[in-house]
Amino acid sequence: MCMEPMEMALQEARDAGARGEVPVGAVVLGPGGAVLAQAGNRTEADNDASAHAEMLALRAAARALGSPRLVGCDLVVTLEPCAMCAAAISAFRIRRLMFGAYDPKGGGVDHGARIFEAPGSQHRPEVIGGVREREAAALLQSFFATLR
């Protein structure tokens, strides 16, 4: 049985949470819909503030395609990307961004910096938010509740 992309991203998020990382997962789909890369957050493990799931998956997909641009590719992520990740999504030329939970505090797409609406945005992908939102939000809420 083949998992749908958001389920794969949610599994990456669960795995990240189990490792003590903020539970965010991402999957990059190629132009034909095949999975090119998937990742969960690794900021703590890598001692790298930029090791967000989106960044790791985008970099791996670019290596897989042998191109710095991911034209025709889609990104599925469990949380609204932050401004850093949104800028990378624009630079990588992602065709479509689908995300789960909205992030009113740290988001950079529908909240905060709204990177794709900025005059200097290099590329504006199609954005679909709220995909399996409750599930994605519950993972984050559960993770942060254990820290309190």
Side-chain angles (χ1 to χ4, degrees), residues 9-85:
L10 286 164
Q11 188 57 54
E12 287 288 342
R14 288 183 205 101
D15 293 347
R19 296 190 309 269
E21 302 280 356
V22 174
V24 177
V27 174
V28 177
L29 304 170
V35 174
L36 295 177
Q38 57 192 79
N41 274 357
R42 286 200 323 247
T43 57
E44 300 299 326
D46 292 358
N47 294 309
D48 179 353
S50 73
H52 291 193
E54 302 96 306
M55 299 295 284
L56 298 170
L58 290 167
R59 291 172 185 153
R63 284 192 301 273
L65 287 181
S67 172
R69 282 169 282 299
L70 299 173
V71 176
C73 295
D74 298 339
L75 174 66
V76 179
V77 63
T78 58
L79 180 65
E80 176 184 348
C82 69
M84 172 185 70
C85 292

Side-chain angles (χ1 to χ4, degrees), residues 52-129:
H52 291 193
E54 302 96 306
M55 299 295 284
L56 298 170
L58 290 167
R59 291 172 185 153
R63 284 192 301 273
L65 287 181
S67 172
R69 282 169 282 299
L70 299 173
V71 176
C73 295
D74 298 339
L75 174 66
V76 179
V77 63
T78 58
L79 180 65
E80 176 184 348
C82 69
M84 172 185 70
C85 292
I89 290 163
S90 179
F92 275 101
R93 306 297 196 274
I94 286 293
R95 175 182 65 169
R96 180 181 301 123
L97 165 66
M98 291 165 275
F99 67 85
Y102 288 87
D103 188 355
K105 291 182 184 176
V109 176
D110 281 351
H111 297 89
R114 298 178 189 252
I115 295 296
F116 305 138
E117 295 175 20
S121 181
Q122 299 172 359
H123 170 77
R124 292 169 181 86
E126 175 187 353
V127 176
I128 302 167

